[in-house]
Amino acid sequence: MNPHSEPSKRSTDSNSAATPSAPPPSTPPRPPEPPAPADPRSASDPTPPARSAESSRPADSAHTTTPSAPTQPAGSSTPSDPSGSTHSSAPSDAVPAPPAEAQVTLRSPAELADALPYLMGFYPDDSVVLIALHGDRGRFGGRVRLGIPTDTAQWPDVADQLAECLISAGQERDTRPEAILVYLCQEPAEGESGKDVKDRLRPLAQRLRTACGALDVPVLEALCLSNGRFWSYCCPDFRCCPVEGTPMVMPGTSVMAAAAAYAGMQVRGSLKEMEARLMPRTGRRAAEQEKVLDAAAGALVPRMLERDGAAAVRRDTLDLAGAMIHRFRQDTPSGSNRARDACDDALITDAEAADLILGLQDRVTRDRAAEWMDGSVAAPALRLWRALARRCAGGYAEHAVAPLTLAGWVCWSTEDGPSARIALNCALSLDPDYTFAQLLHRAINEGLDPEPLRRCLREQNHEVVSAAEDAPAPAADSPSTAKETRRPPRRPGAAGRPRGPRGGTGPGTRSTDGRGRRRAGRDGDRSRR
């Protein structure tokens, strides 16, 4: 199982639902989030389980500032923003006083169980989740998530290292957790019931409780969520926690759901559903794509051996990517995620996908492609990177690392932290040493702002374009030279065109009209396509 750092990065304040008599929650300073490992691996990986743990930022970043919340129970906690960004709405000009924060108080195990998808941004299938509580009133803070290991022999080490990861991260920021919540989420296997799952996972829950207790941080509640029901490992009273479990509330009917909708928070489905959008094709279509990839790879080698072959391949890859983003931008599908992904797959041919997949294996090309990261091109670029990841079939599975990392970068750049973590964890599960994915994964989990990296990419593109424009023009009778020295793809202005590498004629092939104005060339001007 791949650990995902996505869950959460914000923190919702909540009354520790395990203690209904506790005082109403307050809103202390936002707690830190545990650092994420640079090398996430699956739970069955022989490496130390702690390195597989996925941490996320505190959920408080979703403080929703509104003149009045639709439901604001007294002593409440702030709903967390699953995307990891701060969402706020300024009060209307007619309201002179500062607006009150929309807050929610979680008072029972049922409310805690219902809140998990909103804290994480998705439902964490087959996962163990630990959430830190801070202050006397139990404000949600950092959290870690890891796929439940199938090998029970790993459970003791997993429990010890997850507890150490979450608690030590808080100590580093001088906000040691006061308590911890534990969630074990797993659906029944064939022939199992939810109660069977609860009983099977009881040793893991007990080990997590003792691991946290050994570090002087108690577990206030440990819940098992399975088959639409939940069980408490801490409450022995069958009147409130029956043996057959307690049904989960209907989605969208709880106070937490109302507060999340009011705050603009989004639950993106389950972890499995989100990962399925990035998984490679299977069956007949996968075999056909693999054959085309083989042919494209065979044709690419001679090209790379030519003089300046690498530069030509980079230019062609970026031109093709720009054309694909323009195509995706002109055709926006609707419907379910599955239907939209099917439409995206139909927009790109096997040959085009093969050329892009192979071209993006070059680091320079990948970094230039990362310039499609915001504005109106972010959404079509993300759809393209996902589509390419799904085309990395058969023996080309590891080639998906580049498009997966680009997908994670676009998600983070557009403030979708949960989706970014999932994409980056998928990339790192294929290649744990992929530096770009490692750096992005760590930056997201440490709550860094993507804007400095965006600014760096913009400046880099500007420098490349300036250098190309300052280069001497080639001889008029050397068309091959003119082609090689044409201006690298550049980002258009704010006219609404896709940002990022685009084709364009270079200094040697420009022409002007009689008044000295540049005329658009037909070859290489992708704005005509």
Side-chain angles (χ1 to χ4, degrees):
M1 311 236 164
N2 294 336
H4 278 275
S5 66
E6 40 227 325
S8 75
K9 334 85 246 220
R10 328 114 238 266
S11 70
T12 315
D13 296 59
S14 89
N15 194 3
S16 68
T19 56
S21 60
S26 62
T27 312
R30 168 166 139 183
E33 149 187 346
D39 180 12
R41 301 172 186 262
S42 68
S44 58
D45 197 308
T47 54
R51 293 178 60 82
S52 301
E54 160 185 280
S55 61
S56 40
R57 288 191 352 162
D60 298 325
S61 46
H63 286 285
T64 308
T65 318
T66 54
S68 63
T71 56
Q72 185 176 348
S76 62
S77 77
T78 309
S80 87
D81 176 358
S83 71
S85 64
T86 302
H87 294 279
S88 64
S89 61
S92 122
D93 294 338
V95 181
E101 290 183 349
Q103 296 181 330
V104 176
T105 301
L106 307 180
R107 302 183 182 277
S108 68
E111 292 178 342
L112 279 179
D114 173 69
L116 180 61
Y118 301 99
L119 298 176
M120 309 294 284
F122 61 91
Y123 180 78
D125 308 277
D126 292 330
S127 299
V128 51
V129 179
L130 271 63
I131 300 180
L133 298 178
H134 296 267
D136 295 337
R137 297 178 153 177
R139 182 174 55 89
F140 285 145
R143 59 216 67 188
V144 292
R145 191 208 66 83
L146 178 67
I148 297 176
T150 54
D151 183 2
T152 58
Q154 293 184 356
W155 287 2
D157 289 337
V158 166
D160 293 342
Q161 296 188 42
L162 284 177
E164 174 66 25
C165 177
L166 183 60
I167 295 171
S168 62
Q171 290 175 325
E172 291 173 1
R173 295 167 174 80
D174 298 325
T175 55
R176 179 182 174 86
E178 300 294 333
I180 289 177
L181 297 176
V182 173
Y183 293 88
L184 298 177
C185 308
Q186 191 171 76
E187 292 304 302
E190 186 176 356
E192 266 191 329
S193 65
K195 182 179 180 300
D196 295 332
V197 174
K198 184 263 296 186
D199 293 337
R200 176 165 51 81
L201 296 180
R202 182 181 292 277
L204 176 57
Q206 184 60 32
R207 182 66 189 211
L208 287 165
R209 294 175 66 186
T210 57
C212 295
L215 297 174
D216 296 327
V217 180
V219 171
L220 286 187
E221 185 60 277
L223 298 176
C224 175
L225 280 61
S226 180
N227 201 26
R229 292 176 174 265
F230 72 88
W231 290 261
S232 172
Y233 290 112
C234 298
C235 179
D237 191 344
F238 68 90
R239 292 172 297 181
C240 63
C241 298
V243 176
E244 65 275 12
T246 304
M248 301 281 292
V249 300
M250 290 294 294
T253 61
S254 66
V255 173
M256 184 68 183
Y262 188 75
M265 292 161 50
Q266 179 183 3
V267 177
R268 296 160 181 79
S270 71
L271 176 59
K272 288 182 179 179
E273 291 170 348
M274 296 177 72
E275 288 180 334
R277 306 189 70 184
L278 306 171
M279 293 297 103
R281 285 178 167 181
T282 57
R284 179 181 58 83
R285 293 194 305 170
E288 293 173 354
Q289 180 67 70
E290 190 172 8
K291 289 179 182 178
V292 177
L293 281 164
D294 287 338
L300 181 65
V301 173
R303 291 187 62 194
M304 296 293 291
L305 294 177
E306 295 176 359
R307 182 180 179 182
D308 297 327
V313 171
R314 288 169 183 161
R315 181 172 58 249
D316 293 345
T317 301
L318 292 171
D319 286 348
L320 178 58
M324 291 300 99
I325 289 178
H326 180 72
R327 182 186 300 175
F328 276 55
R329 189 179 176 190
Q330 299 302 313
D331 191 346
T332 303
S334 60
S336 66
N337 288 339
R338 188 170 184 176
R340 291 199 295 266
D341 290 344
C343 292
D344 289 343
D345 290 338
L347 289 176
I348 183 169
T349 67
D350 288 349
E352 290 169 336
D355 289 341
L356 287 174
I357 289 169
L358 296 175
L360 288 174
Q361 304 310 304
D362 176 66
R363 181 186 62 81
V364 176
T365 306
R366 180 208 65 200
D367 290 348
R368 293 295 309 279
E371 296 170 13
W372 285 299
M373 59 191 167
D374 55 8
S376 59
V377 295
L382 176 59
R383 291 163 52 200
L384 175 62
W385 307 143
R386 284 174 172 165
L388 293 179
R390 294 192 293 269
R391 296 296 188 98
C392 295
Y396 291 88
E398 292 188 358
H399 285 62
V401 176
L404 285 171
T405 303
L406 289 172
W409 159 237
V410 174
C411 288
W412 183 39
S413 180
T414 54
E415 300 184 349
D416 184 359
S419 297
R421 286 186 174 89
I422 290 176
L424 294 173
N425 275 279
C426 289
L428 290 170
S429 67
L430 294 171
D431 185 357
D433 298 322
Y434 200 71
T435 304
F436 190 26
Q438 286 181 344
L439 295 176
L440 291 177
H441 188 271
R442 181 174 295 278
I444 293 173
N445 285 329
E446 292 183 353
L448 302 183
D449 184 359
E451 179 55 30
L453 181 53
R454 288 198 296 254
R455 189 183 307 118
C456 178
L457 288 172
R458 295 186 191 108
E459 292 174 354
Q460 174 180 286
N461 179 61
H462 178 72
E463 291 173 0
V464 170
V465 172
S466 300
E469 290 176 339
D470 294 340
D477 59 348
S478 178
S480 61
T481 305
K483 180 179 180 181
E484 292 174 1
T485 58
R486 65 177 183 172
R487 187 194 318 167
R490 65 180 297 173
R491 178 188 311 278
R497 296 179 180 175
R499 298 182 181 180
R502 296 289 296 268
T505 52
T509 58
R510 294 177 184 164
S511 58
T512 59
D513 58 17
R515 289 167 290 183
R517 295 180 303 185
R518 187 190 311 171
R519 255 186 328 177
R522 295 185 179 180
D523 296 334
D525 186 356
R526 304 206 67 84
S527 64
R528 293 174 173 265
R529 304 183 186 180

